[in-house]
Amino acid sequence: MSRNLSLYNSLTREKEAFVPLAEGRIGMYVCGPTVYNDVHLGNCRTFASFDIIYRYLMYAGYKVRYVRNITDVGHLLEDGEDRMSKGARIDQLEPMEVAQKYTNGFHNMMQVFNLLPPSIEPRATGHIIEQIKMVQEILDRGYAYVKNGSVYFDTPAFIRDGNPYGKLSGRVVEELLTESRDNLKNQDEKNHPSDFALWIRATDEHIMRWDSPWSIGFPGWHLECSAMSTKYLGETFDIHGGGNDLKFPHHENEIAQNMGSCGHAPARYWLHTNMLLLNGKKMSKSDGNTISPQQLFSGDSPHITKAYTPMVVKFFMLQAHYRSPLDITDDALQAAEKGYKRLMEALRIAQEFKPELPGSGSRDAQIRGLIADSLANMDDDFNVPNALSNVFELSSIVNSLRDGHIKTSEIGAGCWEEMCSHMLGLVGDVFGLKDEGRQSDSSLVDGLMELIIDLRRDIREKKDWAASDRLRDSLLELGIQLKDGKEGTQWKRS
Ligand code: AMP
Ligand code: ZN
């Protein structure tokens, strides 16, 4: 049995009961990165939000097909140059080398943040045939026209037939007319300013180009998501996601293309994540108001006073609902570091502490209530911050029992088991937080060396010099040197 969720649907601007098209199964499409430069922290926030959504849908009992694309063609810059070509020019690489290089970097970063790979990760350049077919279908239905080898979507024709262009972004047609610049070099080819390109004829210098019935050219950016979501999830599927900066024109145009080609809207629920800010302002490369994940991990940025680990950064991101803006500041990161450590400490106790408990206890109802609340918060449009605060309340119960502030008679054995496995499941499997203290070999070596040095001190106090020397020599063979001094024994790798 899957749980019942309610989702905030950007299309209707309301929280709605979530009913998937096929019982127990969910198709979800999320717009992926444009791989022409390094992924930035804002992108990471959006993908981390959808990772938790994906993980929770599975946790809630659904079988999920999660499709997240790689944009490696067609996303144009203000001056009309393809982002991939620009990346290639700057790095002096083939466009495909650029795409591979930054796709690898993106995948590495997703792993660093412990985000799951999607079920399918299609590339725009691997789906040119599907995109050409969709353009032809839109032409056949009378919602597109050809001009000098380029093909444009005919928005007035689409609107005239009663189709909802502007519904998702909440724009009225007059606004669309002024806001619809789509960075094309040949704006004047369009019949109407709000029309947008489906296929673009390549100029001589444009390196990414394919044959088509209309010209040697390349697909428009919006088209790839329509073609690939249809291919892998069908004409209509459950959830479409992306950052809220993609609502217009990208998602509005996706809807128009899907409806224009087959008469159906693609997704039933549209989910949009909010932006990551730096010190209250939108993170932007042009203003220098940006910080990369690598800078956060190394501490090498004027915006922060120290380095933060990937899980601390991720924990920080969990503090805000995915639909709220999130401001990254040094203070907030320091608070997140403390919170993350406290949570991991409680999880270690939950895993290792095995108290003798009675069959039932006076706090069982309170504990089970908190477990139910955390799930209800996740069911309620993935309210991670509220669910996290429920987990913190459970953590303080775990700590109090271990410290003797709560008596063992207050918690039943079965309830303790439930609480511990719930905390570990929600934090590990849904929030995707790993225990960094646990994992790093270097901190394990630090702990072991502390233990060895303590044992050696005991041996020396008993004046067992032979054992003490044997220990020192064996460590030397392993490449570890001990140095006795006033402040005790230090060690280093020799
Ligand atoms: P792009 O590579 O620019 O196509 O963006 C990939 C994804 O990251 C899209 O869903 C964007 O909406 C999202 N995104 C871009 N900037 C930010 C930001 N500052 N905060 C959160 N998400 C962002
Ligand atoms: Zn997209």
Side-chain angles (χ1 to χ4, degrees):
M1 248 309 272
S2 339
R3 296 182 65 85
N4 294 321
L5 314 182
S6 71
L7 309 185
Y8 182 85
N9 189 350
S10 308
L11 197 59
T12 57
R13 292 166 188 76
E14 275 177 17
K15 235 182 234 180
E16 295 173 19
F18 174 65
V19 185
L21 273 170
E23 206 191 320
R25 290 177 174 273
I26 295 174
M28 175 164 88
Y29 187 92
V30 172
C31 294
T34 305
V35 284
Y36 78 114
N37 60 11
D38 287 321
V39 60
H40 66 71
L41 209 63
N43 304 138
C44 294
R45 179 191 184 198
T46 284
F47 298 126
S49 299
F50 283 106
D51 182 64
I52 293 182
I53 290 172
Y54 175 43
R55 285 166 177 269
Y56 188 65
L57 293 173
M58 291 191 288
Y59 183 92
Y62 293 98
K63 263 183 113 63
V64 187
R65 179 180 289 170
Y66 174 23
V67 182
R68 188 185 64 206
N69 68 301
I70 295 280
T71 296
D72 55 359
V73 66
H75 196 173
L76 304 183
L77 292 158
E78 280 73 19
D79 62 1
E81 186 172 11
D82 189 299
R83 281 173 161 76
M84 298 309 303
S85 308
K86 178 167 183 173
R89 200 164 39 73
I90 289 171
D91 289 359
Q92 298 200 330
L93 297 170
E94 275 287 313
M96 273 299 141
E97 272 181 297
V98 176
Q100 192 65 54
K101 176 176 163 188
Y102 293 111
T103 302
N104 294 346
F106 168 66
H107 286 159
N108 288 341
M109 197 49 70
M110 295 299 98
Q111 244 175 20
V112 164
F113 282 117
N114 196 28
L115 310 191
L116 296 175
S119 330
I120 304 176
E121 192 173 52
R123 283 170 169 238
T125 53
H127 296 76
I128 301 294
I129 290 169
E130 288 82 351
Q131 294 178 75
I132 290 175
K133 184 166 157 274
M134 190 170 254
V135 175
Q136 191 58 58
E137 285 163 356
I138 300 171
L139 277 166
D140 292 347
R141 290 171 71 100
Y143 294 129
Y145 54 91
V146 185
K147 275 272 179 83
N148 304 326
S150 292
V151 186
Y152 296 97
F153 192 90
D154 188 342
T155 45
F158 184 67
I159 294 167
R160 231 179 357 254
D161 285 354
N163 288 303
Y165 192 65
K167 185 179 174 201
L168 178 72
S169 55
R171 280 164 167 78
V172 291
V173 176
E174 293 73 48
E175 283 172 346
L176 293 171
L177 301 188
T178 52
E179 286 186 49
S180 294
R181 284 206 64 245
D182 50 9
N183 302 340
L184 286 173
K185 284 186 174 147
N186 301 328
Q187 289 291 328
D188 49 355
E189 274 181 4
K190 301 198 286 189
N191 286 348
H192 197 275
S194 68
D195 294 349
F196 57 92
L198 300 171
W199 184 264
I200 302 152
R201 184 171 54 83
T203 52
D204 290 343
E205 65 271 19
H206 200 98
I207 30 184
M208 300 187 79
R209 45 172 67 214
W210 291 265
D211 216 348
S212 82
W214 316 287
S215 65
I216 293 178
F218 58 97
W221 169 40
H222 318 301
L223 190 65
E224 59 170 287
C225 291
S226 287
M228 295 190 290
S229 64
T230 305
K231 173 158 181 165
Y232 297 109
L233 297 169
E235 287 180 354
T236 303
F237 51 94
D238 298 297
I239 297 174
H240 194 312
N244 66 8
D245 58 334
L246 296 187
K247 268 192 204 165
F248 185 83
H250 186 55
H251 290 160
E252 197 69 67
N253 290 352
E254 263 189 73
I255 295 174
Q257 290 164 158
N258 283 73
M259 296 194 71
S261 66
C262 72
H264 304 298
R268 299 165 72 227
Y269 302 87
W270 285 83
L271 268 50
H272 287 102
T273 55
N274 214 318
M275 294 291 108
L276 185 70
L277 314 174
L278 179 59
N279 297 320
K281 283 193 291 181
K282 189 177 172 190
M283 230 185 237
S284 141
K285 281 195 181 157
S286 49
D287 297 348
N289 193 41
T290 182
I291 185 164
S292 70
Q294 289 82 357
Q295 283 175 315
L296 271 181
F297 305 153
S298 66
D300 178 22
S301 158
H303 298 291
I304 48 174
T305 54
K306 64 192 279 292
Y308 297 97
T309 62
M311 287 301 116
V312 167
V313 177
K314 185 160 160 180
F315 181 90
F316 157 76
M317 291 183 184
L318 305 184
Q319 321 264 317
H321 190 272
Y322 77 86
R323 280 191 286 112
S324 306
L326 175 60
D327 193 9
I328 190 163
T329 61
D330 196 55
D331 286 350
L333 286 165
Q334 294 204 14
E337 188 171 66
K338 287 201 188 93
Y340 167 75
K341 285 189 175 154
R342 254 192 313 133
L343 183 60
M344 290 304 121
E345 177 58 28
L347 291 186
R348 272 173 229 151
I349 300 171
Q351 245 172 333
E352 289 157 14
F353 186 48
K354 305 280 175 217
E356 287 284 324
L357 297 172
S360 65
S362 53
R363 283 186 185 264
D364 289 5
Q366 180 204 359
I367 291 170
R368 293 202 166 104
L370 284 169
I371 294 174
D373 286 351
S374 65
L375 293 174
N377 278 320
M378 289 303 289
D379 292 344
D380 179 17
D381 196 29
F382 313 104
N383 197 327
V384 175
N386 284 3
L388 192 62
S389 85
N390 298 135
V391 171
F392 267 101
E393 287 181 68
L394 292 171
S395 299
S396 65
I397 294 177
V398 166
N399 287 333
S400 300
L401 186 78
R402 201 263 324 251
D403 297 342
H405 303 310
I406 287 181
K407 293 200 273 302
T408 45
S409 59
E410 291 177 65
I411 302 179
C415 185
W416 170 260
E417 282 283 307
E418 262 174 61
M419 167 166 64
C420 295
S421 79
H422 176 70
M423 287 170 66
L424 291 164
L426 204 58
V427 174
D429 299 342
V430 179
F431 299 158
L433 285 176
K434 293 194 289 190
D435 189 347
E436 282 167 334
R438 256 305 146 75
Q439 274 178 349
S440 101
D441 279 352
S442 68
S443 65
L444 179 64
V445 171
D446 285 347
L448 288 174
M449 282 312 301
E450 217 173 293
L451 183 71
I452 290 171
I453 289 169
D454 275 357
L455 288 173
R456 182 167 165 271
R457 197 178 48 237
D458 291 349
I459 292 171
R460 285 164 75 89
E461 273 166 16
K462 288 185 190 133
K463 302 201 186 321
D464 186 350
W465 307 118
S468 163
D469 288 350
R470 201 168 64 243
L471 200 58
R472 193 197 50 215
D473 295 345
S474 304
L475 286 171
L476 259 180
E477 274 171 34
L478 292 171
I480 289 175
Q481 206 178 342
L482 297 183
K483 211 169 147 214
D484 296 310
K486 271 202 214 103
E487 286 168 31
T489 305
Q490 306 293 323
W491 67 275
K492 62 172 195 171
R493 289 172 200 271
S494 51

